[in-house]
Amino acid sequence: NLVIPEGITVIEPGTFAGCDELESIAFPSTLERIADAEYDENGSAKFGVFFKCSSLKKIVIPGNVKYIGTYAFNECWALEEIVLEEGVERIMEGAFKCPMLLYGVVTKMYIPASVVEIHPESFVQWSYVDVSYAGTVEQWYALMPDTQIWVHCADGLAPPK
C-alpha cells in the first residue's frame, strides 16, 4: 500500500511503473497533477506514472487532482473500479487504457461533473464498463460528442451516438 506524502504536487512519469505488488494508493491533499507519460524518440508512450501496477484493484482520485495525464494507469490489469471525485477536471489520452478492459476487468467508473475535458481515447475498449457521470446527459454529450459507451448521467441514460 502506498501513501504519497503531503507536499507533493506532481507525480512524475514512471515514478511507480511496474510496482506489481501495489494494491492501494492514498493521494495527498496537495497533489494537483498526475503527469503525462514519457515518450521515446519516435513519439510512442513509454510508460505512465502507474504503468503496469498489476495488483491495483481500485483507485480513488481526490478532487484536488485536476489533471490525470496520458497513460497514467496504462496496463493496470487488475483494476476493477475507478472513482474520480468532484474537482477532477482533465482525463487525458489512454489515462486508463488496458487491453484487458475488453474482457470487463474494470466494471465501474465514476466521473464528476467538474470534468471539462476527456480525451476521446480515454475510453478505448470500455464497452463493458458501467460508467456513471454526475452531470447531465447534455453535459456528457458536450464532453464526449461521439461517445461509444452507455453512460448513467444524473438525469438519465446517455446511449452511444
Side-chain angles (χ1 to χ4, degrees):
N1 297 337
L2 173 66
V3 177
I4 299 172
E6 289 293 325
I8 302 293
T9 58
V10 176
I11 305 175
E12 297 297 334
T15 301
F16 301 105
C19 291
D20 56 0
E21 293 183 21
L22 180 62
E23 293 180 3
S24 68
I25 306 165
F27 295 101
S29 64
T30 54
L31 187 65
E32 300 170 1
R33 181 181 180 93
I34 298 173
D36 290 320
E38 285 186 355
Y39 291 83
D40 63 20
E41 61 277 354
N42 298 319
S44 297
K46 290 177 16 181
F47 45 76
V49 174
F50 296 98
F51 175 69
K52 286 192 176 181
C53 290
S54 57
S55 296
L56 195 57
K57 291 185 179 180
K58 178 180 179 179
I59 54 171
V60 178
I61 299 180
N64 51 283
V65 178
K66 304 298 181 199
Y67 183 93
I68 302 170
T70 56
Y71 302 98
F73 294 90
N74 189 23
E75 296 189 30
C76 291
W77 306 111
L79 198 54
E80 296 173 353
E81 185 173 3
I82 301 164
V83 177
L84 307 179
E85 293 183 344
E86 188 65 33
V88 173
E89 296 176 353
R90 290 180 164 70
I91 306 168
M92 305 317 291
E93 179 182 2
F96 301 102
K97 185 178 179 186
C98 181
M100 290 299 286
L101 294 179
L102 183 61
Y103 304 106
V105 174
V106 170
T107 57
K108 294 181 182 176
M109 180 164 187
Y110 303 92
I111 302 172
S114 58
V115 171
V116 296
E117 180 182 1
I118 301 175
H119 189 282
E121 296 197 16
S122 295
F123 293 96
V124 172
Q125 302 165 337
W126 281 56
S127 58
Y128 301 106
V129 179
D130 182 9
V131 177
S132 294
Y133 173 63
T136 66
V137 171
E138 183 178 344
Q139 289 171 316
W140 177 255
Y141 286 141
L143 277 174
M144 297 290 291
D146 297 319
T147 188
Q148 299 298 308
I149 58 175
W150 289 86
V151 178
H152 299 275
C153 298
D155 62 346
L157 192 60
K161 283 194 164 189

